[in-house]
Amino acid sequence: MDTSLQYALDQDQKDVLHAFRDMFHIPKTSSGQDIIYLCGNSLGLMPKSTSMYVNQELDDWKNLGVEGHFHAKNPWMPYHEFLTDNMAHIVGAKPEEVVVMNSLTANLHFLMVSFYKPTSKRYKILFDYSPFPSDRYAIESQIRFHGFDPQEGMIELTPDAGSETVSLTHIQNILERHGDEIALILIGGVNYYTGQAYDIKTITAMGHAKGCVVGFDLAHAAGNLLLHLHEDGPDFAAWCSYKYLNSGPGSLSGCFIHERHHQADLPRFAGWWGNDKKTRFLMKDEFVPIPTAEGWQLSNPPILSMAAIKASLDLFAKAGMDRLRSKSEQLTSYLEFLVLQNGNNTLNIITPADPNQRGCQLSLQMTNPNKKLHEYLTKHGIIADWREPDVIRVAPVPLYNSFEDVWRFNSILAEGLIQF
Ligand SMILES: *Cc1c(COP(=O)(O)O)cnc(C)c1O
């Protein structure tokens, strides 16, 4: 690697996925330049094909009305099934283990209905260091809902002494001490703040060895890391589709429920869409769940949102997660290399340096935190995300970000670091 712009342009030339950038709408500055968009971890960009996919459903609704359930080009009755194979592939699951439904926080709640079954001896939830607030609220309110005290019931992973990240040894120590009291381990696949990727397989095995149920919030992992949910064996997982999966603001969530639970007699909040498809429209009194992850569905889903997911998943299928991850590792290492050239007296990368412990995001902690720096970046056509008190999160996304984006970002950052 070297620091020249030419190096970045050469890498883009060599990039087998470079053509995908043109399949996305890249936002423009007021002077018509491409924005350097490093915020795909918050809201992924819009594929150009999305309009076509959504318009197809609008046209079918316009022309067919209710008949679209069966006679639309992509019939709405089974529409969610059109997403399953690609979504299952992205998270390394069997198609029966995956369903797209609801939104992420809603799914965390519904999954906890089935998988958080506290008893007076074992009622605690071990959760991610500084989790996304919604996860904390969901966990806290579930504990309260079951009549326990969240003060007692919540065990937050803290970073190792002198570090920003959490080691497996540290998790193992907590499990040695509190394992018998922990009903559920619910942590992120990638911590949204530090960018640390957790070892799903090892944490699942450690949790199961102590008799805990293990679930993952993959909001920052799905479409970012290579995942093997079936093999790694967590009990459940959920993720949103609007971050790395580019499916539009507030779009639906993916859910994974390991097949070993499909026939188990678990508590669940039921709805008609989870009922056996053969009898669903007989409007019978008895609920007969579909014996797959689909049995957790509640409502007939929003087709327009699903059309946007379909557009994006079709691109993922073309690009392939292996190729995406391989470019992602290169792109993020390149970002790391350039950023470190600015000298470690200006900033510190809190994301692990080991590529196996991170996705594409790097969290840059400023030595002299000054929000003016972030304003400077924004003014110069960069969209990156500032987290109080001192962190800028940047996520070069392999589907549409280029090595040139990364180079330009760092040259503007370097200028800004001198000024602020
Ligand atoms: C983005 C994100 C959410 C957002 O939840 P919604 O229900 O989709 O609004 C929740 N948890 C984590 C970890 C996230 O990264």
Side-chain angles (χ1 to χ4, degrees):
M1 284 187 266
D2 74 50
T3 58
S4 68
L5 173 59
Q6 194 54 47
Y7 174 83
L9 299 175
D10 289 346
Q11 292 308 111
D12 283 332
Q13 279 284 318
K14 284 190 231 157
D15 170 15
V16 292
L17 297 174
H18 194 50
F20 282 88
R21 180 179 172 88
D22 271 348
M23 299 178 201
F24 284 84
H25 293 289
I26 311 286
K28 301 270 190 273
T29 63
S30 52
S31 58
Q33 301 274 19
D34 281 358
I35 293 257
I36 301 168
Y37 193 82
L38 298 172
C39 219
N41 53 347
S42 231
L43 184 73
L45 290 179
M46 176 178 165
K48 289 178 179 167
S49 56
T50 301
S51 311
M52 197 183 76
Y53 281 67
V54 174
N55 281 330
Q56 176 70 49
E57 304 317 318
L58 287 172
D59 285 342
D60 284 344
W61 178 28
K62 183 164 73 184
N63 296 320
L64 300 170
V66 71
E67 296 287 302
H69 282 296
F70 297 99
H71 300 301
K73 179 163 178 255
N74 309 302
W76 305 329
M77 260 285 291
Y79 199 99
H80 64 275
E81 296 171 28
F82 307 146
L83 312 177
T84 304
D85 285 353
N86 283 340
M87 195 62 107
H89 185 74
I90 285 172
V91 296
K94 294 186 173 182
E96 308 85 81
E97 293 174 315
V98 168
V99 63
V100 175
M101 63 179 192
N102 310 323
S103 55
L104 173 55
T105 309
N107 281 335
L108 292 175
H109 277 297
F110 290 124
L111 289 164
M112 279 193 269
V113 165
S114 293
F115 291 103
Y116 173 52
K117 293 181 289 176
T119 63
S120 57
K121 289 225 167 57
R122 191 191 272 276
Y123 64 92
K124 299 189 178 178
I125 301 182
L126 175 65
F127 64 99
D128 209 357
Y129 159 56
S130 189
F132 196 85
S134 202
D135 298 47
R136 183 191 293 275
Y137 305 151
I139 288 166
E140 183 176 339
S141 57
Q142 284 282 335
I143 292 175
R144 211 186 293 283
F145 176 73
H146 284 280
F148 294 96
D149 176 3
Q151 289 269 342
E152 295 289 320
M154 294 170 78
I155 307 182
E156 179 169 352
L157 281 175
T158 44
D160 295 27
S163 162
E164 295 287 338
T165 52
V166 181
S167 67
L168 286 171
T169 318
H170 184 50
I171 297 176
Q172 185 64 48
N173 287 341
I174 293 176
L175 289 174
E176 288 307 331
R177 235 175 310 136
H178 300 288
D180 305 346
E181 304 153 22
I182 295 173
L184 172 65
I185 300 173
L186 178 55
I187 62 179
V190 175
N191 181 286
Y192 89 102
Y193 180 69
T194 63
Q196 177 182 13
Y198 290 104
D199 178 342
I200 292 179
K201 185 177 186 165
T202 305
I203 293 172
T204 300
M206 290 182 341
H208 284 170
K210 290 285 173 194
C212 315
V213 172
V214 186
F216 286 88
D217 180 334
L218 302 176
H220 283 264
N224 179 21
L225 301 179
L226 289 180
L227 297 167
H228 311 279
L229 292 184
H230 177 76
E231 295 268 312
D232 291 352
D235 297 286
F236 69 90
W239 56 96
C240 51
S241 63
Y242 50 81
K243 291 174 177 163
Y244 294 105
L245 296 176
N246 312 319
S247 300
S251 195
L252 298 167
S253 159
C255 249
F256 164 86
I257 297 157
H258 199 280
E259 69 177 355
R260 66 177 170 271
H261 297 300
H262 292 178
Q263 310 274 3
D265 187 21
L266 292 170
R268 78 173 106 191
F269 285 172
W272 74 317
W273 226 249
N275 195 78
D276 179 15
K277 291 170 201 177
K278 290 196 284 299
T279 57
R280 188 193 282 152
F281 283 92
L282 301 179
M283 309 291 191
K284 290 241 166 87
D285 288 345
E286 190 200 355
F287 174 71
V288 182
I290 302 169
T292 68
E294 289 193 1
W296 271 261
Q297 294 174 107
L298 299 167
S299 299
N300 81 100
I303 300 299
L304 300 181
S305 207
M306 287 203 159
I309 301 180
K310 189 165 188 300
S312 174
L313 293 185
D314 286 351
L315 290 183
F316 270 86
K318 277 199 200 107
M321 274 311 297
D322 287 324
R323 292 199 299 174
L324 283 168
R325 175 63 183 164
S326 143
K327 174 175 170 188
S328 177
E329 286 182 20
Q330 287 174 35
L331 205 54
T332 297
S333 298
Y334 177 57
L335 171 65
E336 179 181 44
F337 165 78
L338 290 181
V339 163
L340 291 176
Q341 305 289 322
N342 301 317
N344 57 8
N345 56 342
T346 56
L347 59 82
N348 169 30
I349 302 177
I350 61 175
T351 309
D354 173 6
N356 292 319
Q357 289 185 59
R358 69 185 184 201
C360 68
Q361 171 188 327
L362 291 184
S363 301
L364 314 178
Q365 187 172 48
M366 300 298 130
T367 314
N368 296 309
N370 185 342
K371 194 137 198 254
K372 288 217 176 93
L373 173 65
H374 185 249
E375 285 160 15
Y376 179 87
L377 299 179
T378 310
K379 209 170 109 217
H380 288 80
I382 292 168
I383 299 188
D385 158 292
W386 173 269
R387 289 283 134 169
E388 295 295 343
D390 55 4
V391 166
I392 296 178
R393 299 185 308 156
V394 275
V397 166
L399 256 178
Y400 49 75
N401 282 122
S402 60
F403 287 82
E404 185 183 347
D405 279 340
V406 170
W407 188 89
R408 292 199 183 282
F409 163 75
N410 189 63
S411 67
I412 296 165
L413 174 71
E415 286 293 317
L417 285 171
I418 294 167
Q419 294 189 36
F420 305 105

